[in-house]
Amino acid sequence: MSEAKLEAWLDETRSFAPSPEFARQANAQPSIYAEASADPVAWWRLQADRLTWTTSPTQTLEWDLPFAKWFSDGTLNASYNCVDRHVEAGRGDKVAYHWVGDAEGETRTITYAQLQKLVAQAANALSELGVKTGDRVAVYMPMIPEAVVTMLAIVRLGAVHSVVFAGFSADALSSRILDSDCQFVVTADGAYRRGSASPLKPAVDEALESCPNVKAVLVVKRTNGDVNWVEGRDHWWHETVERQNDVHTCESFPAEHTMFIMYTSGTTAKPKGIFHTTGGYLTQCATTYNYVFDIKPESDVCWTAADIGWITGHSYIVYGPLINGVTQVMYEGLPDSGGKDRWWKIIEQNKVSILYTAPTTIRTLMKWGDQFPKDHDLTSLRLLGTVGEPINPEAWMWYREHIGSNRCPIVDTWWQTETGAIMVSPLPGITATKPGAAMRPLPGIGVDVVDNNGDSVGNGEGGYLVITHPWPSMTRGIYGDPERFKETYWSRFPGKYFAGDGAKRDEDGDLWLLGRIDDVMNISGHRLSTTEVEHALVGHPAVAEAAVVGASDETTGQAIVAFVTLKMSADDAGKDYGPVIEELRLHVAKVISPIAKPRQIILTPDLPKTRSGKIMRRLLRDVAENRQLGDVTTLTDPTVVNMIAGLMETNASGED
Ligand code: WT7
């Protein structure tokens, strides 16, 4: 659709009515919103019965703001709920995962019965290595079935997984291991990306130089590369796991038992260890997966195209889908591993019916062109989802037209690592959809848009997104730092959870998410803090000072632009700074991850600061996005900004 056509359409039609194909859901749940809002706590108690409890909870919510307990006297086992109960119910032959490797033709099919055995063996192996209830285990793995098996085996033992995205650096891994005192690491020798093997184990070895408490490392052989081996500490998966008994009788744990930690960037340099507990988290994963995707476990093939290293992978590749007993596709590679039509081949070959991914990927696929999806049979698709950042109407319409044949509803789902599961989204068959809008809070969830004073805004107005009452999968806190938890989320608007996002209610009262309003950037759906990147930059010996902003970017949503002041000496005048800029970009990649590499580094002799010495990021963002500069009256030296704006035009840009 051309831009003009799109605009005309948006003006006239503005929304898509619920698709009749989804009438089953509408008929089965005609009053779902009304029922849930009449008594959200009671409604969630009913949803908890989606799980198999060893002891059924009689308590529902205990709320000591901001600390919630859900279903606290219930007991259960997360892994049993994901796997064993399906086998016991006679569904053991059902496929849990169609795993698709980076290389074309490399596939593995794993049924629920096979998954049960794999998880039992892994749980037995972890026990043998000394993992006990409550222990933290770091997982640093590529997208292979063993990653899912490992997560399930850890929670089966009542231990706590901390999955670290395999794209993170050794430094990032070690700081996460240290923060939650993980004593075990599960990893692989390497990973495949677009046909070539890239090593993972060296990053673990490097990280562990500063983590003396790690007792054992379990290593999957994936790429068959040479590895450094520490006798007594390192154990091959194929030698340790495969010889184990494939039966494991599991214990039950209280609903509030900690299940996992997931690190995410906040507004400071130190990532926050967001932790989740068992009963409430699983209840909301199961419920949202069921309603938002209107799943039909008998026939659906679901593909959440995300990485298990992020919360989307936890909630919608592992826990939500497995609890619902669906068949999934799990893909190891990149969208163009083996060609730019790889995704569409995977959908065609596996008859994928539900596709869930991030706007940044949709924009990339859109940029590659319509011919790639057109050459494939995508008629198996019936529902499309997006998550991770605001989706622009153009990408939404492309997704609808070229992938969903104008037939599949699109669910734009808003949530966060902290919320654990989806919070705001249309429900197919029940709510209308609008390109770019997440529409309304899910049943049982209370969301509001408020102004600076915490008062609700009217229709047609914007403000801050807040969550007005506790929900089952809410984070129980920041690992080891309850004060920071209160301060970050609960102090801005007393009694309400402050998400950090801007939002708007349109004339119909529907919700539009507008992106972060704090110093958190969203790069290709990955969350990074400006301070974290600044911290990495000033850690380089040549850097005196750095300021980082997220500037809007056509493909990645936001991109990192860094303003850097170097420590200069007199003979540096006239030097070629190109190599310095490149070195700084690589330095950030090494300290954090390649995803944190600035798109652009602007060297500047000075940074704009307020009279109290705070760097004015807002102005820098204006400069980075070539906007008219706002109010500069509180600056110490307003000329600095204009000078930087001039430098933007002349400075070498580090475009890849
Ligand atoms: C931040 C949370 C939720 C899993 C992936 C990201 C942004 C997320 C949407 C959406 C607009 C969205 C928000 C949020 N975000 N989904 N549908 N529309 N923005 O999890 O890394 O914890 O990031 O992602 O800014 O605060 P996360």
Side-chain angles (χ1 to χ4, degrees):
M1 199 182 277
S2 73
E3 213 164 297
K5 215 168 122 195
L6 174 67
E7 264 172 35
W9 182 86
L10 288 172
D11 276 351
E12 283 161 28
T13 322
R14 295 178 38 233
S15 77
F16 293 100
S19 156
E21 276 182 54
F22 288 78
R24 184 192 73 144
Q25 166 137 311
N27 293 339
Q29 301 283 340
S31 53
I32 186 174
Y33 287 102
E35 274 166 27
S37 64
D39 188 346
V41 174
W43 189 82
W44 281 116
R45 176 61 193 84
L46 291 176
Q47 304 309 316
D49 287 339
R50 294 173 185 279
L51 307 178
T52 303
W53 296 85
T54 315
T55 322
S56 184
T58 63
Q59 296 276 4
T60 303
L61 170 67
E62 291 148 83
W63 182 220
D64 179 11
L65 196 144
F67 298 102
K69 287 184 187 160
W70 284 86
F71 317 122
S72 69
D73 62 347
T75 64
L76 75 171
N77 185 289
S79 157
Y80 175 87
N81 270 276
C82 289
V83 186
D84 304 59
R85 65 167 182 164
H86 300 305
V87 181
E88 287 171 16
R91 297 189 294 270
D93 291 340
K94 188 174 170 58
V95 174
Y97 292 99
H98 290 291
W99 177 80
V100 179
D102 178 77
E104 267 186 77
E106 191 187 6
T107 57
R108 276 170 75 182
T109 297
I110 300 171
T111 63
Y112 277 90
Q114 289 166 332
L115 187 62
Q116 184 184 35
K117 291 186 171 168
L118 293 169
V119 171
Q121 287 184 314
N124 285 325
L126 290 172
S127 292
E128 188 183 290
L129 294 175
V131 176
K132 294 192 188 58
T133 304
D135 286 350
R136 275 81 55 212
V137 183
V139 178
Y140 186 68
M141 292 177 91
M143 283 289 289
I144 53 178
E146 287 80 0
V148 175
V149 169
T150 298
M151 290 165 73
L152 292 168
I154 292 168
V155 297
R156 190 173 186 89
L157 299 173
V160 178
H161 57 67
S162 168
V163 182
V164 178
F165 175 54
F168 273 124
S169 65
D171 290 3
L173 175 62
S174 76
S175 66
R176 285 160 176 76
I177 289 174
L178 289 170
D179 185 75
S180 47
D181 194 21
C182 296
Q183 298 185 2
F184 305 88
V185 179
V186 185
T187 187
D189 54 351
Y192 283 110
R193 289 164 70 84
R194 272 196 219 97
S196 53
S198 63
L200 275 182
K201 177 83 170 28
V204 175
D205 292 329
E206 191 187 330
L208 295 192
E209 282 169 22
S210 53
C211 304
N213 289 350
V214 172
K215 294 191 265 208
V217 180
L218 187 57
V219 189
V220 176
K221 188 174 268 189
R222 171 69 187 125
T223 56
N224 222 356
D226 287 340
V227 287
N228 164 47
W229 207 250
V230 177
E231 279 313 323
R233 185 196 75 182
D234 297 349
H235 307 265
W236 281 117
W237 179 284
H238 58 271
E239 290 170 0
T240 316
V241 178
E242 286 168 16
R243 63 177 161 78
Q244 302 288 333
N245 189 338
D246 63 10
V247 176
H248 178 270
T249 312
C250 61
E251 255 180 83
S252 303
F253 301 97
E256 284 297 337
H257 188 74
T258 300
M259 191 173 144
F260 68 87
I261 304 170
M262 168 104 259
Y263 284 87
T264 186
S265 295
T267 50
T268 65
K270 190 172 180 262
K272 299 178 287 202
I274 297 298
F275 72 94
H276 285 280
T277 58
T278 313
Y281 172 77
L282 293 178
T283 296
Q284 197 170 328
C285 282
T287 309
T288 53
Y289 197 67
N290 176 73
Y291 285 130
V292 174
F293 298 96
D294 183 39
I295 48 143
K296 298 183 170 65
E298 335 69 72
S299 54
D300 270 324
V301 179
C302 307
W303 181 16
T304 296
D307 193 285
I308 46 122
W310 307 107
I311 191 74
T312 305
H314 283 49
S315 303
Y316 300 110
I317 295 178
V318 185
Y319 299 108
L322 290 179
I323 286 184
N324 279 289
V326 302
T327 294
Q328 293 185 79
V329 162
M330 176 178 178
Y331 175 49
E332 180 187 33
L334 296 169
D336 58 350
S337 295
K340 290 195 164 53
D341 63 347
R342 186 67 194 283
W343 265 39
W344 319 123
K345 272 191 194 158
I346 293 173
I347 291 174
E348 182 171 15
Q349 283 164 0
N350 294 280
K351 301 208 169 9
V352 170
S353 56
I354 297 175
L355 175 66
Y356 188 35
T357 190
T360 186
T361 314
I362 299 167
R363 287 193 293 268
T364 302
L365 295 162
M366 177 169 96
K367 209 164 63 183
W368 289 342
D370 308 342
Q371 72 275 19
F372 297 106
K374 209 171 68 216
D375 290 343
H376 294 276
D377 177 5
L378 305 181
T379 51
S380 56
L381 286 171
R382 63 181 198 90
L383 183 74
L384 305 172
T386 85
V387 59
E389 50 180 322
I391 180 161
N392 48 315
E394 196 194 353
W396 196 101
M397 290 299 281
W398 183 84
Y399 199 28
R400 183 180 157 88
E401 190 174 332
H402 295 277
I403 310 308
S405 311
N406 293 314
R407 182 176 50 77
C408 306
I410 297 180
V411 288
D412 175 359
T413 63
W414 178 89
W415 56 295
Q416 307 177 303
T417 305
E418 293 87 339
T419 71
I422 302 173
M423 302 292 281
V424 183
S425 168
L427 289 185
I430 301 183
T431 26
T433 59
K434 294 177 185 175
M439 301 304 285
R440 54 191 293 191
L442 289 183
I445 300 297
V447 161
D448 200 359
V449 183
V450 298
D451 62 19
N452 257 321
N453 304 319
D455 298 323
S456 294
V457 303
N459 288 357
E461 288 173 43
Y464 306 99
L465 190 83
V466 294
I467 304 172
T468 55
H469 56 80
W471 63 102
S473 66
M474 66 190 276
T475 174
R476 300 304 192 256
I478 298 174
Y479 198 79
D481 202 346
E483 278 314 307
R484 191 174 171 199
F485 175 59
K486 284 188 195 164
E487 163 70 27
T488 312
Y489 305 102
W490 302 92
S491 64
R492 180 74 177 78
F493 300 109
K496 290 173 185 146
Y497 173 91
F498 173 56
D501 279 278
K504 161 186 105 177
R505 270 185 209 291
D506 68 16
E507 297 301 336
D508 308 322
D510 293 320
L511 289 171
W512 297 67
L513 275 304
L514 304 175
R516 302 291 304 197
I517 46 97
D518 51 13
D519 292 329
V520 173
M521 301 176 288
N522 193 325
I523 318 295
S524 299
H526 301 318
R527 202 163 137 181
L528 287 163
S529 89
T530 51
T531 14
E532 204 175 348
V533 181
E534 284 165 7
H535 206 76
L537 283 165
V538 290
H540 188 281
V543 175
E545 207 172 18
V548 165
V549 298
S552 54
D553 184 280
E554 234 177 63
T555 307
T556 57
Q558 283 190 313
I560 301 176
V561 177
F563 298 87
V564 171
T565 308
L566 294 178
K567 293 176 189 158
M568 300 269 266
S569 66
D571 34 293
D572 285 342
K575 181 170 154 181
D576 170 14
Y577 286 101
V580 181
I581 288 174
E582 196 42 36
E583 188 183 316
L584 292 180
R585 295 179 73 236
L586 292 175
H587 174 75
V588 175
K590 158 127 188 35
V591 175
I592 305 174
S593 158
I595 57 180
K597 213 157 50 164
R599 179 185 73 185
Q600 211 175 353
I601 293 182
I602 292 114
L603 301 181
T604 158
D606 223 333
L607 291 170
K609 293 197 187 122
T610 61
R611 297 209 172 93
S612 63
K614 266 187 85 179
I615 293 172
M616 297 193 74
R617 287 212 188 77
R618 185 176 53 79
L619 284 185
L620 291 175
R621 206 173 305 128
D622 288 343
V623 171
E625 293 176 348
N626 301 317
R627 269 198 300 270
Q628 286 276 316
L629 300 177
D631 180 23
V632 291
T633 48
T634 51
L635 277 179
T636 41
D637 182 3
T639 55
V640 170
V641 190
N642 293 325
M643 180 191 70
I644 291 174
L647 285 170
M648 280 287 288
E649 281 155 27
T650 50
N651 232 300
S653 120
E655 213 82 45
D656 264 343

